[in-house]
Amino acid sequence: MALTLDDIAQLLAGPGQRQYGHEAVSQLDHALQCAALAEEAGETTETVVAALLHDLGHLLAPGSAQQEEEASEEGEAMPARDDLHQYIALPFLHGVFPPGVLAPIRLHVEAKRYLCTQDGYWDTLSPASKHSLVLQGGPHTQDEADAFMREPFADESLRVRRYDDLAKVRDKATPPLAHYLRKMAQVAL
Ligand SMILES: [Fe+2]
């Protein structure tokens, strides 16, 4: 069930060319921009790879990507259920990468729920992201926020979430996929 590094490269280079919802970038552009922001910020290689792969679930379950696409166009019907894309990739990545890569992928939606308890963050979300927040359980309660912050790699997950939110810029230059495939190989088990 585990993906090889070649499988991941082919997913990013092939299906990754699809548009990222109605954002101005492809899934691959989004992944590369997210990884580049993490790298520019001086994150560890594990966190950079987590940033690259945080939405891999969308490429493994095309239906969930379509759902996001439908959700992203204002005025169109919004999906009625959470796509749970943060969990889809995990069975395929267990045994391939260490917890420092897997945890921020698993937690990037919980990180959004946590950040929505912080002043001003909710206002920065797109209409689709505000809608999906409701399906994802809404902002954390105090107990949920406390439990989240006890998770290993909670801080890294919050930072990946910030890079995720910023990684939607049309025509932004990034290092090529090959640069990040080398980083994947460096941290692979
Ligand atoms: Fe993302």
PDB file of all heavy atoms in Angstrom, residues 20 30-31 34 51 54-55 58 68 85 108 161 164-165 167-168, ligand 1:
ATOM      1  N   TYR A  20      -5.907  23.921  -8.751  1.00  0.00           N
ATOM      2  CA  TYR A  20      -6.189  23.759  -7.320  1.00  0.00           C
ATOM      3  C   TYR A  20      -7.491  24.474  -7.025  1.00  0.00           C
ATOM      4  O   TYR A  20      -7.518  25.683  -6.766  1.00  0.00           O
ATOM      5  CB  TYR A  20      -5.030  24.336  -6.520  1.00  0.00           C
ATOM      6  CG  TYR A  20      -5.177  24.222  -5.020  1.00  0.00           C
ATOM      7  CD1 TYR A  20      -5.318  22.988  -4.401  1.00  0.00           C
ATOM      8  CD2 TYR A  20      -5.157  25.357  -4.225  1.00  0.00           C
ATOM      9  CE1 TYR A  20      -5.448  22.890  -3.039  1.00  0.00           C
ATOM     10  CE2 TYR A  20      -5.272  25.271  -2.847  1.00  0.00           C
ATOM     11  CZ  TYR A  20      -5.425  24.034  -2.269  1.00  0.00           C
ATOM     12  OH  TYR A  20      -5.552  23.950  -0.911  1.00  0.00           O
ATOM     13  N   HIS A  30       0.802  24.795  -5.952  1.00  0.00           N
ATOM     14  CA  HIS A  30       0.448  24.991  -4.538  1.00  0.00           C
ATOM     15  C   HIS A  30       1.423  24.234  -3.636  1.00  0.00           C
ATOM     16  O   HIS A  30       1.932  24.787  -2.651  1.00  0.00           O
ATOM     17  CB  HIS A  30      -0.988  24.526  -4.299  1.00  0.00           C
ATOM     18  CG  HIS A  30      -1.440  24.608  -2.884  1.00  0.00           C
ATOM     19  ND1 HIS A  30      -1.515  25.794  -2.184  1.00  0.00           N
ATOM     20  CD2 HIS A  30      -1.846  23.635  -2.017  1.00  0.00           C
ATOM     21  CE1 HIS A  30      -1.935  25.548  -0.954  1.00  0.00           C
ATOM     22  NE2 HIS A  30      -2.138  24.251  -0.823  1.00  0.00           N
ATOM     23  N   ALA A  31       1.717  22.999  -3.994  1.00  0.00           N
ATOM     24  CA  ALA A  31       2.647  22.191  -3.203  1.00  0.00           C
ATOM     25  C   ALA A  31       4.045  22.804  -3.211  1.00  0.00           C
ATOM     26  O   ALA A  31       4.700  22.903  -2.157  1.00  0.00           O
ATOM     27  CB  ALA A  31       2.680  20.762  -3.759  1.00  0.00           C
ATOM     28  N   CYS A  34       4.149  26.065  -1.206  1.00  0.00           N
ATOM     29  CA  CYS A  34       4.071  25.783   0.224  1.00  0.00           C
ATOM     30  C   CYS A  34       5.440  25.300   0.726  1.00  0.00           C
ATOM     31  O   CYS A  34       5.942  25.767   1.767  1.00  0.00           O
ATOM     32  CB  CYS A  34       2.986  24.736   0.471  1.00  0.00           C
ATOM     33  SG  CYS A  34       2.423  24.651   2.177  1.00  0.00           S
ATOM     34  N   ALA A  51       5.198  20.180   4.050  1.00  0.00           N
ATOM     35  CA  ALA A  51       4.532  21.264   3.316  1.00  0.00           C
ATOM     36  C   ALA A  51       4.282  20.850   1.867  1.00  0.00           C
ATOM     37  O   ALA A  51       3.210  21.092   1.307  1.00  0.00           O
ATOM     38  CB  ALA A  51       5.384  22.533   3.373  1.00  0.00           C
ATOM     39  N   HIS A  54       1.314  18.102   1.936  1.00  0.00           N
ATOM     40  CA  HIS A  54       0.180  18.197   2.861  1.00  0.00           C
ATOM     41  C   HIS A  54      -1.156  17.928   2.185  1.00  0.00           C
ATOM     42  O   HIS A  54      -2.094  17.470   2.820  1.00  0.00           O
ATOM     43  CB  HIS A  54       0.165  19.564   3.577  1.00  0.00           C
ATOM     44  CG  HIS A  54      -0.307  20.680   2.717  1.00  0.00           C
ATOM     45  ND1 HIS A  54       0.513  21.345   1.834  1.00  0.00           N
ATOM     46  CD2 HIS A  54      -1.527  21.251   2.579  1.00  0.00           C
ATOM     47  CE1 HIS A  54      -0.179  22.273   1.211  1.00  0.00           C
ATOM     48  NE2 HIS A  54      -1.425  22.237   1.642  1.00  0.00           N
ATOM     49  N   ASP A  55      -1.267  18.218   0.895  1.00  0.00           N
ATOM     50  CA  ASP A  55      -2.538  17.999   0.177  1.00  0.00           C
ATOM     51  C   ASP A  55      -2.474  16.800  -0.759  1.00  0.00           C
ATOM     52  O   ASP A  55      -3.308  16.693  -1.674  1.00  0.00           O
ATOM     53  CB  ASP A  55      -2.913  19.246  -0.638  1.00  0.00           C
ATOM     54  CG  ASP A  55      -3.677  20.273   0.190  1.00  0.00           C
ATOM     55  OD1 ASP A  55      -4.201  19.923   1.260  1.00  0.00           O
ATOM     56  OD2 ASP A  55      -3.737  21.434  -0.262  1.00  0.00           O
ATOM     57  N   HIS A  58      -5.584  14.950  -1.998  1.00  0.00           N
ATOM     58  CA  HIS A  58      -6.407  15.402  -3.124  1.00  0.00           C
ATOM     59  C   HIS A  58      -6.020  14.686  -4.420  1.00  0.00           C
ATOM     60  O   HIS A  58      -6.862  14.491  -5.298  1.00  0.00           O
ATOM     61  CB  HIS A  58      -6.230  16.913  -3.344  1.00  0.00           C
ATOM     62  CG  HIS A  58      -6.967  17.747  -2.349  1.00  0.00           C
ATOM     63  ND1 HIS A  58      -8.260  17.503  -1.960  1.00  0.00           N
ATOM     64  CD2 HIS A  58      -6.585  18.856  -1.669  1.00  0.00           C
ATOM     65  CE1 HIS A  58      -8.649  18.413  -1.087  1.00  0.00           C
ATOM     66  NE2 HIS A  58      -7.643  19.241  -0.887  1.00  0.00           N
ATOM     67  N   GLU A  68     -13.540  20.184  -3.645  1.00  0.00           N
ATOM     68  CA  GLU A  68     -12.954  21.477  -3.301  1.00  0.00           C
ATOM     69  C   GLU A  68     -13.190  22.475  -4.423  1.00  0.00           C
ATOM     70  O   GLU A  68     -13.486  23.627  -4.192  1.00  0.00           O
ATOM     71  CB  GLU A  68     -11.457  21.307  -3.045  1.00  0.00           C
ATOM     72  CG  GLU A  68     -10.800  22.638  -2.781  1.00  0.00           C
ATOM     73  CD  GLU A  68      -9.524  22.482  -1.972  1.00  0.00           C
ATOM     74  OE1 GLU A  68      -9.459  21.617  -1.101  1.00  0.00           O
ATOM     75  OE2 GLU A  68      -8.615  23.254  -2.224  1.00  0.00           O
ATOM     76  N   HIS A  85      -9.484  14.991   3.494  1.00  0.00           N
ATOM     77  CA  HIS A  85      -8.310  14.748   2.636  1.00  0.00           C
ATOM     78  C   HIS A  85      -7.011  14.667   3.432  1.00  0.00           C
ATOM     79  O   HIS A  85      -6.041  14.085   2.969  1.00  0.00           O
ATOM     80  CB  HIS A  85      -8.199  15.837   1.560  1.00  0.00           C
ATOM     81  CG  HIS A  85      -7.756  17.166   2.071  1.00  0.00           C
ATOM     82  ND1 HIS A  85      -8.607  18.077   2.625  1.00  0.00           N
ATOM     83  CD2 HIS A  85      -6.528  17.731   2.125  1.00  0.00           C
ATOM     84  CE1 HIS A  85      -7.940  19.143   2.998  1.00  0.00           C
ATOM     85  NE2 HIS A  85      -6.671  18.972   2.713  1.00  0.00           N
ATOM     86  N   HIS A 108      -3.000  19.382   9.494  1.00  0.00           N
ATOM     87  CA  HIS A 108      -3.114  20.730   8.915  1.00  0.00           C
ATOM     88  C   HIS A 108      -4.539  21.269   8.932  1.00  0.00           C
ATOM     89  O   HIS A 108      -4.739  22.488   8.924  1.00  0.00           O
ATOM     90  CB  HIS A 108      -2.431  20.842   7.533  1.00  0.00           C
ATOM     91  CG  HIS A 108      -3.196  20.297   6.362  1.00  0.00           C
ATOM     92  ND1 HIS A 108      -3.150  18.982   5.984  1.00  0.00           N
ATOM     93  CD2 HIS A 108      -3.999  20.916   5.467  1.00  0.00           C
ATOM     94  CE1 HIS A 108      -3.891  18.812   4.897  1.00  0.00           C
ATOM     95  NE2 HIS A 108      -4.430  19.970   4.571  1.00  0.00           N
ATOM     96  N   ARG A 161       0.363  25.295   8.092  1.00  0.00           N
ATOM     97  CA  ARG A 161      -0.945  25.864   7.746  1.00  0.00           C
ATOM     98  C   ARG A 161      -0.806  27.310   7.238  1.00  0.00           C
ATOM     99  O   ARG A 161      -1.477  27.719   6.285  1.00  0.00           O
ATOM    100  CB  ARG A 161      -1.856  25.840   8.970  1.00  0.00           C
ATOM    101  CG  ARG A 161      -3.242  26.335   8.696  1.00  0.00           C
ATOM    102  CD  ARG A 161      -4.038  25.299   7.917  1.00  0.00           C
ATOM    103  NE  ARG A 161      -4.884  25.909   6.912  1.00  0.00           N
ATOM    104  CZ  ARG A 161      -5.741  25.223   6.159  1.00  0.00           C
ATOM    105  NH1 ARG A 161      -5.826  23.913   6.282  1.00  0.00           N
ATOM    106  NH2 ARG A 161      -6.482  25.821   5.270  1.00  0.00           N
ATOM    107  N   ASP A 164       0.541  27.121   3.782  1.00  0.00           N
ATOM    108  CA  ASP A 164      -0.565  26.639   2.952  1.00  0.00           C
ATOM    109  C   ASP A 164      -1.446  27.811   2.519  1.00  0.00           C
ATOM    110  O   ASP A 164      -1.773  27.966   1.332  1.00  0.00           O
ATOM    111  CB  ASP A 164      -1.350  25.625   3.796  1.00  0.00           C
ATOM    112  CG  ASP A 164      -2.527  24.982   3.098  1.00  0.00           C
ATOM    113  OD1 ASP A 164      -2.729  25.229   1.907  1.00  0.00           O
ATOM    114  OD2 ASP A 164      -3.235  24.219   3.780  1.00  0.00           O
ATOM    115  N   ASP A 165      -1.824  28.651   3.457  1.00  0.00           N
ATOM    116  CA  ASP A 165      -2.721  29.768   3.158  1.00  0.00           C
ATOM    117  C   ASP A 165      -2.100  30.763   2.170  1.00  0.00           C
ATOM    118  O   ASP A 165      -2.815  31.439   1.430  1.00  0.00           O
ATOM    119  CB  ASP A 165      -3.090  30.507   4.450  1.00  0.00           C
ATOM    120  CG  ASP A 165      -3.938  29.661   5.379  1.00  0.00           C
ATOM    121  OD1 ASP A 165      -4.669  28.773   4.884  1.00  0.00           O
ATOM    122  OD2 ASP A 165      -3.875  29.891   6.606  1.00  0.00           O
ATOM    123  N   ALA A 167       0.171  29.953  -0.206  1.00  0.00           N
ATOM    124  CA  ALA A 167       0.758  29.270  -1.361  1.00  0.00           C
ATOM    125  C   ALA A 167      -0.208  29.185  -2.540  1.00  0.00           C
ATOM    126  O   ALA A 167      -0.438  28.112  -3.096  1.00  0.00           O
ATOM    127  CB  ALA A 167       1.209  27.865  -0.934  1.00  0.00           C
ATOM    128  N   LYS A 168      -0.782  30.314  -2.914  1.00  0.00           N
ATOM    129  CA  LYS A 168      -1.789  30.323  -3.976  1.00  0.00           C
ATOM    130  C   LYS A 168      -1.569  31.500  -4.920  1.00  0.00           C
ATOM    131  O   LYS A 168      -2.516  32.123  -5.389  1.00  0.00           O
ATOM    132  CB  LYS A 168      -3.192  30.403  -3.357  1.00  0.00           C
ATOM    133  CG  LYS A 168      -3.520  29.232  -2.437  1.00  0.00           C
ATOM    134  CD  LYS A 168      -4.808  29.443  -1.665  1.00  0.00           C
ATOM    135  CE  LYS A 168      -5.043  28.265  -0.723  1.00  0.00           C
ATOM    136  NZ  LYS A 168      -6.261  28.430   0.093  1.00  0.00           N
TER     137      LYS A 168
HETATM  138 FE    FE B   1      -3.101  23.249   0.887  1.00  0.00          FE
END
